[in-house]
Amino acid sequence: MGVLDGGLQSVFGVAFGSFYLDGVLQEVTNVPVGGGSTEEVTTDHAIKVQKDRATQRMREAEGYSSTDVAFYILQAGLSVDPNPDHRVIFQGQIWAIANIEADPASTYWEARGSFEGEVQET
């Protein structure tokens, strides 16, 4: 396995995992429940993540809002690839994600986050 085909993923995960913070990548699926209705079913995946200001590329993308942020999600140990059907839950807040890209060494994903709301305690 070479450097640019995922060889650095585990090394990067070990080296930076302690600096990145805990979060959740929440997979959202709408399941039919009859009568034309659907029910939202979620699956949570633990992640290591950092939040930062939106990049210039994110600010130039369609749908950008001035409250959008950048998320950097470590790939090491994560069994799913983030997509726009996922949400990031980080520090008590829920964020929709878009414009998801992997870095060339496959060590992290960069995603634009749009605020959806606060986590409601149940």
Side-chain angles (χ1 to χ4, degrees), residues 4-111:
L4 295 182
D5 63 0
L8 285 179
Q9 189 178 96
S10 62
V11 172
F12 196 84
V14 170
F16 289 96
S18 61
F19 298 109
Y20 278 51
L21 302 175
D22 292 331
V24 173
L25 181 67
Q26 189 171 70
E27 192 170 351
V28 182
T29 307
N30 290 312
V31 177
V33 291
S37 298
T38 61
E39 180 178 302
E40 188 176 274
V41 176
T42 60
T43 304
D44 292 348
H45 305 276
I47 58 173
K48 289 293 194 172
V49 61
Q50 286 295 327
K51 184 174 97 172
D52 202 350
R53 288 179 277 184
T55 65
Q56 183 64 33
R57 187 175 17 122
M58 291 175 185
R59 290 190 291 273
E60 293 170 353
E62 183 177 334
Y64 170 77
S65 168
S66 63
T67 58
D68 287 355
V69 299
F71 282 109
Y72 299 93
I73 302 166
L74 290 183
Q75 289 190 20
L78 190 55
S79 61
V80 298
D81 292 349
N83 68 61
D85 291 331
H86 292 143
R87 299 186 278 230
V88 168
I89 301 175
F90 182 67
Q91 296 182 328
Q93 298 179 325
I94 303 168
W95 300 81
I97 57 173
N99 304 103
I100 304 156
E101 296 183 24
D103 73 301
S106 297
T107 57
Y108 66 87
W109 286 284
E110 176 187 275

